[in-house]
Amino acid sequence: MAITRANAVTRVQAYTGRTDKDSLIQTLFMDFIDNAGRDHIYPEMVVLDTGLATVASTQTLALPAGHYKTLEVKLIQTDAVSYVLHSVPQRWAHERFPNPADYQEAKPTYYYELGSNIYFLPIPDDAYTIHMRYAKLLSGSFDNDAETFPIPTLETAAIQWVTSELFASLEQFENANQWMQRAMYSWDKAKRDANFIPSQRLKAEEFRVFSTPAPNGPDRYINPPEFYLDPFYKGE
C-alpha cells in the first residue's frame, strides 16, 4: 500500500528528530518527485491520449496539457490499420522539407516537436485520429496529507533523500551524506526495476533513405547513395 504524505513526513521526523520542519519536508518531497520525473520515466508518468486528430491542410497539432516527453505517436487509419510516425530532428525536417507546403498533402509519415506543437510531414490531407503516448511530470502531486506517493517504487528513495536534504539544511553534513548514499542506492534500484521487461525482442530496421520529394507508398524508398557505408546493404 502506498504511503501517505502524513506518514512520509512522520518517518522523516523520526529519522531527523525534528518535528518543527513540516513545511520544508513537504516542499522537499515535491522537489524529489519533480527531479525524479526529469531524471527517468516511470510507468506512473505515462499517459495514452486517444482523443487527438490532425486537421486537413494543417501541419501542426498542439501537445496535450501536462506533456513532458513524447514516447510514441501513432496514426490510426481504421480499427485494424495503424502505424507509428517517425520522430525526426527539426534540422533533418528542414533540410529535407524546406517548404512543406510545396509537397503534396498526404498521410503523415514523420513528425518533429517545436515549442508546444508537433509538426507533421507531409502536411495531412485529411483528419486522422492520432494516439499519443507521452510522459507527464507529477509536479503538484503529493500536496495534501491524505494523498499517497505517486510513484510507489520510489517511496524509500524519497524518504531517504528528503531526510538527507533536511540534515543538509541543518548543516549536519555527515548525516546528510550517509542518508544521500542510501537514497542513491534505492533510487538506482527503482530505475532498474522500472526498466525491467521480462520478454522483449528487438528487430533492426533496414538502412534506407527516401527520395526527394518523398512520395507515399512502398516505392518511397530508394537504394541509399551511401550504400558503401552500410555493412548490411546487399542491393536490390
Side-chain angles (χ1 to χ4, degrees):
M1 182 177 179
I3 193 170
T4 64
R5 191 181 75 170
N7 295 143
V9 170
T10 298
R11 292 269 296 276
V12 175
Q13 290 174 340
Y15 293 145
T16 60
R18 300 296 294 260
T19 59
D20 59 336
K21 298 291 184 178
D22 287 11
S23 180
L24 176 58
I25 292 171
Q26 292 164 5
T27 298
L28 289 172
F29 271 115
M30 297 182 73
D31 288 345
F32 176 86
I33 293 169
D34 187 65
N35 291 336
R38 295 182 187 278
D39 175 69
H40 189 81
I41 295 175
Y42 297 87
E44 292 81 4
M45 299 169 58
V46 178
V47 176
L48 175 61
D49 192 334
T50 61
L52 304 174
T54 65
V55 177
S57 302
T58 301
Q59 187 182 10
T60 61
L61 176 68
L63 292 168
H67 172 279
Y68 169 59
K69 184 174 292 186
T70 300
L71 305 178
E72 182 181 75
V73 177
K74 184 180 291 186
L75 186 145
I76 310 298
Q77 293 183 247
T78 67
D79 290 341
V81 180
S82 65
Y83 62 89
V84 175
L85 302 185
H86 297 284
S87 174
V88 297
Q90 180 185 351
R91 179 177 177 180
W92 184 98
H94 287 176
E95 287 177 350
R96 289 160 176 77
F97 295 85
N99 187 0
D102 289 344
Y103 295 79
Q104 183 177 355
E105 295 180 1
K107 292 184 181 70
T109 302
Y110 307 96
Y111 77 93
Y112 66 92
E113 295 182 19
L114 180 62
S116 59
N117 294 301
I118 62 175
Y119 290 74
F120 296 108
L121 296 168
I123 296 174
D125 62 343
D126 202 347
Y128 297 104
T129 298
I130 296 292
H131 288 184
M132 178 183 290
R133 193 164 60 91
Y134 66 94
K136 66 175 183 178
L137 294 177
L138 300 176
S139 308
S141 60
F142 214 49
D143 61 352
N144 65 76
D145 285 344
E147 188 168 355
T148 56
F149 197 77
I151 308 175
T153 56
L154 283 177
E155 287 177 358
T156 299
I159 291 170
Q160 293 167 340
W161 187 89
V162 172
T163 299
S164 172
E165 291 295 318
L166 183 56
F167 273 129
S169 74
L170 299 172
E171 298 185 355
Q172 297 183 31
F173 299 116
E174 184 175 348
N175 285 332
N177 289 335
Q178 291 176 357
W179 280 96
M180 186 57 69
Q181 290 178 15
R182 298 176 187 177
M184 291 299 98
Y185 175 82
S186 300
W187 197 341
D188 287 342
K189 183 178 184 304
K191 287 191 285 189
R192 291 195 301 270
D193 291 344
N195 285 334
F196 176 71
I197 302 175
S199 178
Q200 184 181 56
R201 299 179 65 184
L202 302 179
K203 181 180 179 181
E205 293 187 359
E206 293 181 74
F207 179 73
R208 291 184 169 187
V209 296
F210 63 90
S211 57
T212 303
N216 292 301
D219 297 328
R220 67 181 182 276
Y221 293 105
I222 61 173
N223 293 337
E226 305 87 353
F227 62 89
Y228 52 85
L229 298 177
D230 178 21
F232 303 105
Y233 179 73
K234 296 180 180 180
E236 291 187 353

